[in-house]
Amino acid sequence: MGGIQAVTLYALPVFIELTDHLRCPADHAEQYLVLLPDQIVERSVVAGQLGCPVCGRTYPVREGVGELGDAAVVPRPEAPLDPAAMHVLLGLSGPGGYAALVGSAAAAWRGLAEHNPGVALIAVNPPAAIHDAAPALSVLRAPLIPLKARSLRGVVLGPEFAADPFWIREAARVTLPGLRVVGNGPSPALEDLEQLATAEGWWVASRR
Ligand SMILES: [Zn+2]
């Protein structure tokens, strides 16, 4: 991967900041990705490549979306969760850091952002109608949550993912200890997650 070099000359568009937390989705030790932007509009990387220094794979950024491999297609939710309720379930207080909304949970991003100014949101495999809106929202498509372990302040799993043990493990992996994973569906049994509450089909757990 001799052609891949760190690019730090730009005024930190949101995707460049997020790149520090991204991981290559390939099956090897967690590794950061290097961003080679081709087109930046305001603070958003619209087009470019993400390269892995370990395995040499590259992943495209197209129309502002980081495409890190095969991703489930998620329909628009019939009844998206009220952002105020999601805010309470996530329990974020104060600005800074990132939280991820997986699947149709991302439909609530705009209202959630209003409740949590200064917390950048990451939509993972959102419905097609949801586009990146830097710096408040970045969009990623991937077969897992393509972020490093213990890098996020919280994760909300939409109903398409919240009953799947793989995605529950992923949500626990990327969440900082003591912070929360929220899901829609049956309560998960996972050693890394301590159940806090359930309400109206949603569960809340704390990352141990
Ligand atoms: Zn890799």
Side-chain angles (χ1 to χ4, degrees), residues 165 168-173 188-195 208:
I168 294 166
R169 270 199 309 279
E170 278 293 285
R173 180 181 63 79
L190 187 66
E191 207 169 273
D192 289 340
L193 293 177
E194 178 187 357
Q195 289 295 317
R208 292 187 206 274

Side-chain angles (χ1 to χ4, degrees), residues 24-64:
C24 178
D27 187 17
H28 58 63
E30 287 190 11
Q31 180 63 43
Y32 65 91
L33 294 170
V34 178
L35 177 64
L36 294 170
D38 293 329
Q39 184 189 1
I40 295 177
V41 174
E42 295 177 353
R43 297 185 71 217
S44 180
V45 178
V46 175
Q49 297 277 328
L50 294 158
C52 175
V54 172
C55 69
R57 287 177 174 83
T58 60
Y59 306 95
V61 179
R62 291 193 190 105
E63 299 185 353

Side-chain angles (χ1 to χ4, degrees), residues 1 26 39 47 65 91 117 126 139 145 165 169 171 181 183-184 194 201:
M1 295 310 296
Q39 184 189 1
V65 177
V139 179
I145 300 178
R169 270 199 309 279
V181 177
N184 181 293
E194 178 187 357

Side-chain angles (χ1 to χ4, degrees), residues 49-170:
Q49 297 277 328
L50 294 158
C52 175
V54 172
C55 69
R57 287 177 174 83
T58 60
Y59 306 95
V61 179
R62 291 193 190 105
E63 299 185 353
V65 177
E67 297 179 3
L68 287 95
D70 293 337
V73 175
V74 171
R76 265 191 100 69
E78 289 169 19
L81 182 65
D82 172 34
M86 190 182 287
H87 168 66
V88 170
L89 294 172
L90 263 178
L92 298 176
S93 62
Y98 293 88
L101 309 177
V102 181
S104 62
W109 80 266
R110 206 176 287 274
L112 188 66
E114 288 171 5
H115 284 283
N116 298 279
V119 177
L121 300 176
I122 305 165
V124 179
N125 302 341
I130 293 174
H131 300 288
D132 79 302
L137 182 74
S138 297
V139 179
L140 302 172
R141 296 193 187 280
L144 43 62
I145 300 178
L147 293 147
K148 289 183 186 160
R150 303 178 177 199
S151 63
L152 300 184
R153 294 184 63 196
V155 176
V156 181
L157 293 171
E160 311 82 12
F161 298 94
D164 183 335
F166 173 82
W167 285 90
I168 294 166
R169 270 199 309 279
E170 278 293 285

